[in-house]
């Protein structure tokens, strides 16, 4: 290891080194000697960088057992206020995607002089382990928690107001919050039932949405919650907080007004055409446009009328929390984040004759063909009537499959491509890393614990998730569930999204006696 060190980055490099990342993280230090230049001159601009999964590399073979423990020791001995240790490929395009061990530290907690020494100590660990084609970079970041009426059925593609109806349906991505803490909104993850002869339906989400004021390792109220008798007070969960409901209703009012304007516009044109020689096709075009606007206005008004029942808060009670283990990190053999809440859904909230089970609406995708291409998988909808844009969820992704590798980090056939539908950012597509990220939770240098996370980045430079997406289920193109979104790294936007694997979640849920036989809720079109 040479004694020479790179010079301190300029202010421009600190701010521009990770240009293109959603959160625009600031660089602290890096071990590479490659010069960074601020573009100058007319028409010059910074090139965007991207994060890509590690893929097949020596690091993947020794990551959890050897590399991370040694790097963790170096950071702790140096009293570094870090929050994540990860490995990704970072660059502008496939030809320059370099392997980077990426360390996140709390903002303004680490100087360059200390950071560069720590970075080279970590680089020496890589060299000692036979890894000579990777660099170490330290950046500033924060860990973020991404926290009456009847749910309507998912819309068919023939429904002209399907996009407006979506938040009020049972398709996954349901916006929820606790009745006691409506300021903390999140997303309903996936449905389960009791198995066997049980008839109850449950929705799984994250604890920090259901109990935002008692979902920290050090909180005195961070205790196991179990609803065991009807004498207990229910901890109710709502669909939509008041702010979101008002936003949707105002949007509907605006759309109704827009259609009224279109109807008047075409009516005026048709009136002026009377008694004049006008091409039949032109007149017919305005008649059709007016009829379409009239039909859409009527559909919007019908939906707006139906949603009057959602205004009283008591009519938006989805159900109540049945079970939620205490929030903890580094739990069990897999050292996962335990951030789970199981909601018992009130029977009155579901139309049981039409309930479709676990489905994700693909309506937000530009086209199904485009989504298929990005997912590199055939989106299986054959079990549903052809007029539905729905991805049917069945089965799970195993822990072993999450570690699938690729010789080419841009080869999407060998990189696991996933999607999620969240309350805040809707339908997004991402790439999962084949090694887990190591995260550390703490406040003001008081360490609360460490955990291993399933890490995902968005495609095309877009974040995979935003604040409000906590609880979203993460799936592959075949509808297999991989995990549930819990947190992210970056501030204020998210560069890397973290999810807890579904295998761990189901094990935790089944550890609670009444849910010992819990299973993913089958739908009417499931394989039996």
């Amino acid at each position: 290891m040479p004694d020479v060190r790179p010079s301190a980055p300029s202010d421009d490099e600190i701010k521009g080194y990770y240009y293109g990342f959603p959160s625009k993280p600031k660089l602290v230090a890096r071990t590479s000697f490659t010069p960074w230049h601020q573009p100058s001159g007319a028409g010059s601009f910074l090139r965007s960088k991207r994060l890509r999964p590690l893929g097949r590399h020596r690091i993947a073979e020794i990551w959890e057992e050897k590399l991370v423990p040694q790097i963790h020791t170096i950071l702790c001995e140096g009293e570094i206020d870090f929050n994540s240790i990860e490995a990704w490929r970072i660059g502008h395009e496939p030809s320059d995607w370099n392997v980077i061990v990426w360390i996140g530290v709390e903002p303004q907690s680490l100087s360059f002089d200390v950071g560069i020494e720590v970075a080279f100590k970590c680089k020496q660990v890589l060299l000692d382990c036979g890894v000579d084609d990777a660099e170490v970079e330290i950046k500033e970041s924060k860990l973020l928690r991404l926290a009456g009426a009847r749910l309507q059925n998912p819309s068919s593609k023939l429904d002209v107001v399907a996009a407006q109806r979506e938040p009020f349906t049972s398709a996954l991505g349901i916006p929820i919050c606790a009745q006691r803490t409506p300021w903390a909104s999140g997303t309903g993850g996936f449905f389960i039932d009791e198995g066997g002869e049980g008839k109850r339906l449950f929705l799984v989400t994250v604890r920090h949405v259901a109990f935002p004021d008692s979902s920290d390792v050090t909180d005195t109220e961070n205790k196991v919650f179990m609803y065991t008798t009807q004498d207990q007070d229910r901890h109710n969960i709502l669909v939509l907080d008041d702010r979101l409901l008002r936003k949707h209703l105002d949007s509907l009012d605006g759309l109704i007004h827009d259609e009224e304007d279109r109807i008047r516009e075409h009516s005026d044109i048709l009136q002026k055409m009377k008694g004049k020689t006008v091409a039949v096709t032109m007149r017919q075009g305005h008649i059709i446009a007016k009829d379409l606007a009239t039909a859409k206005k009527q559909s919007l008004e019908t939906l707006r009328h139906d949603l009057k029942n959602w205004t009283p808060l008591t009519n938006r009670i989805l159900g109540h929390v049945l079970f939620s283990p205490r929030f903890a990190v580094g739990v069990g053999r897999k050292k996962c984040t335990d951030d789970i809440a199981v909601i018992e859904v009130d029977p009155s909230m579901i139309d049981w004759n039409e309930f479709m089970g676990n489905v994700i609406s693909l309506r937000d995708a530009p086209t199904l063909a485009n989504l298929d291409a990005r997912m590199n998988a055939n989106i299986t909808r054959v079990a549903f009537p052809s007029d539905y844009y729905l991805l049917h969820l069945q089965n799970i992704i195993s822990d072993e499959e999450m570690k699938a590798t690729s010789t080419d980090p841009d080869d999407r056939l060998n990189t696991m491509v996933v999607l999620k539908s969240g309350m805040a950012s809707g339908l997004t597509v991402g790439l999962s890393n084949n090694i887990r990220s190591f995260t550390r939770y703490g406040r003001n240098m008081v360490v609360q614990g460490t955990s291993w996370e399933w890490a995902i980045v968005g495609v095309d430079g877009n974040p995979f998730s935003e604040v409000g997406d906590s609880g979203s289920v993460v799936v592959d193109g075949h509808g297999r569930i991989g995990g549930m979104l819990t947190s992210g790294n970056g501030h204020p936007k998210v560069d890397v999204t973290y999810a807890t694997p579904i295998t761990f979640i189901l094990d935790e849920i089944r550890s609670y006696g009444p849910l010992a036989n819990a299973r993913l809720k089958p739908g009417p079109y499931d394989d039996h």
Side-chain angles (χ1 to χ4, degrees):
M1 177 75 66
D3 293 332
V4 64
R5 298 286 189 262
S7 57
S10 65
D11 287 343
D12 286 336
E13 181 177 356
I14 289 172
K15 297 176 182 177
Y17 187 75
Y18 293 115
Y19 179 77
F21 285 21
S23 78
K24 301 180 177 66
K26 293 182 178 180
L27 173 70
V28 175
R30 60 187 176 98
T31 58
S32 65
F33 287 84
T34 305
W36 183 90
H37 299 291
Q38 174 73 21
S40 60
S44 61
F45 57 90
L46 285 170
R47 297 171 63 201
S48 295
K49 284 187 175 180
R50 296 285 185 264
L51 278 170
R52 286 295 180 267
L54 176 66
R56 184 170 298 157
H57 193 273
R58 164 69 174 159
I59 283 178
E61 301 170 8
I62 57 176
W63 180 247
E64 293 191 17
E65 300 299 326
K66 197 168 186 179
L67 281 183
V68 170
Q70 293 186 62
I71 293 173
H72 178 249
T73 298
I74 290 171
L75 297 175
C76 290
E77 289 178 347
E79 298 184 346
I80 307 302
D81 195 4
F82 74 98
N83 52 49
S84 60
I85 305 171
E86 309 179 86
W88 298 89
R89 293 181 187 262
I90 299 178
H92 303 98
E93 53 191 45
S95 62
D96 66 359
W97 278 342
N98 299 310
V99 175
I100 303 296
V101 172
W102 213 30
I103 299 171
V105 299
E106 291 296 312
Q108 300 180 335
S109 68
L110 186 63
S111 68
F112 167 76
D113 291 337
V114 176
I116 194 65
E117 293 305 317
V118 168
F120 271 95
K121 287 181 180 179
C122 295
K123 175 70 179 287
Q124 187 61 55
V125 170
L126 296 178
L127 294 174
D128 292 344
C129 292
V131 178
D132 59 3
D133 60 346
E135 300 292 344
V136 177
E137 295 179 2
I138 302 177
K139 47 92 180 190
E140 292 186 350
S141 67
K142 293 187 73 68
L143 287 183
L144 301 175
R145 300 276 178 79
L146 304 175
R150 171 179 286 183
L151 289 172
Q152 300 193 15
N153 298 316
S155 304
S156 78
K157 67 182 181 183
L158 302 178
D159 184 356
V160 295
V161 295
Q164 290 72 42
R165 192 186 309 278
E166 204 68 58
F168 306 93
T169 73
S170 59
L172 299 181
I174 301 169
I176 61 173
C177 65
Q179 184 174 354
R180 298 177 187 175
T181 52
W183 46 267
S185 295
T187 303
F190 56 94
F191 291 108
I192 61 173
D193 65 16
E194 299 170 274
E197 299 299 320
K199 301 296 184 183
R200 293 185 295 177
L201 178 69
F202 306 93
L203 180 67
V204 181
T205 188
V206 290
R207 179 185 173 97
H208 73 261
V209 168
F211 299 96
D213 49 2
S214 62
S215 293
D216 200 281
V217 174
T218 59
D219 288 338
T220 57
E221 296 302 314
N222 180 23
K223 302 174 182 177
V224 176
F225 179 90
M226 293 182 288
Y227 184 82
T228 57
T229 171
Q230 293 184 353
D231 293 334
Q232 281 181 256
D233 290 335
R234 289 174 31 135
H235 189 82
N236 288 332
I237 301 297
L238 306 179
V239 178
L240 292 168
D241 60 51
D242 289 340
R243 177 186 59 84
L244 280 175
L245 177 63
R246 185 72 262 164
K247 178 181 177 181
H248 285 297
L249 295 179
D250 288 346
S251 175
L252 279 174
D253 291 338
L255 291 171
I256 291 171
H257 180 74
D258 290 344
E259 296 307 321
E260 289 173 342
D261 286 345
R262 290 189 180 92
I263 293 169
R264 280 194 295 270
E265 177 184 352
H266 292 294
S267 295
D268 290 345
I269 293 174
L270 288 169
Q271 183 65 32
K272 293 176 181 178
M273 286 181 175
K274 285 185 176 180
K276 296 182 179 180
T277 303
V278 179
V280 174
T281 53
M282 182 179 294
R283 187 188 304 275
Q284 192 64 28
H286 286 289
I287 292 173
I288 292 173
K290 178 185 175 183
D291 290 344
L292 289 174
T294 300
K296 186 169 184 179
K297 174 177 175 286
Q298 291 172 346
S299 296
L300 288 167
E301 288 175 335
T302 299
L303 177 60
R304 183 66 173 82
H305 180 269
D306 292 344
L307 295 181
K308 285 183 179 180
N309 291 332
W310 288 72
T311 303
L313 183 146
T314 53
N315 286 0
R316 301 202 306 276
I317 297 175
L318 174 66
H320 65 96
V321 178
L322 175 76
F323 169 64
S324 180
R326 67 183 299 274
F327 176 84
V329 295
V331 176
R333 179 178 56 83
K334 300 173 184 176
K335 304 299 181 185
C336 293
T337 298
D338 200 342
D339 190 0
I340 302 168
V342 180
I343 303 161
E344 182 175 348
V345 178
D346 288 349
S348 61
M349 288 296 290
I350 298 293
D351 182 351
W352 294 102
N353 293 324
E354 301 291 339
F355 183 63
M356 292 186 172
N358 286 298
V359 297
I360 288 179
S361 171
L362 304 180
R363 186 167 300 281
D364 285 346
T367 66
L368 281 179
N370 176 271
L371 183 60
D372 278 348
R374 299 177 84 180
M375 296 292 294
N376 268 305
N378 293 321
I379 303 297
T380 304
R381 295 181 295 117
V382 295
F384 285 104
S386 59
D387 60 343
Y388 284 94
Y389 283 131
L390 297 172
L391 175 61
H392 175 214
L393 307 191
Q394 284 192 96
N395 303 320
I396 64 174
I397 302 171
S398 69
D399 295 343
E400 291 72 24
E401 288 174 293
M402 289 182 181
K403 298 177 182 179
T405 59
S406 170
T407 55
D408 178 0
D410 193 40
D411 184 354
R412 294 186 177 181
L413 286 174
N414 290 303
T415 296
M416 184 175 293
V417 187
V418 295
L419 61 80
K420 73 100 185 72
S421 179
M423 183 275 289
S425 59
L427 183 70
T428 57
V429 179
L431 304 174
S432 75
N433 206 357
N434 57 293
I435 62 170
R436 297 192 296 172
S437 292
F438 183 79
T439 60
R440 186 175 79 156
Y441 292 82
R443 291 179 181 173
N444 302 320
M445 287 299 294
V446 178
V447 179
Q448 299 174 0
T450 59
S451 199
W452 288 96
E453 311 285 359
W454 185 30
I456 303 157
V457 293
V459 297
D460 302 329
N462 298 311
F464 183 66
S465 65
E466 298 176 8
V467 173
D469 288 331
S470 279
S472 303
V473 65
V474 181
V475 306
D476 69 6
H478 299 289
R480 299 183 305 164
I481 296 178
M484 188 167 65
L485 194 155
T486 58
S487 59
N489 195 309
H491 184 73
K493 292 189 176 181
V494 178
D495 295 315
V496 180
T497 295
Y498 300 133
T500 298
I502 184 65
T503 51
F504 174 85
I505 294 170
L506 291 177
D507 286 346
E508 280 293 285
I509 291 173
R510 289 165 180 160
S511 70
Y512 177 55
L515 296 176
N517 297 313
R519 60 176 183 171
L520 298 178
K521 173 62 179 176
Y525 304 101
D526 280 21
D527 298 331
H528 294 293

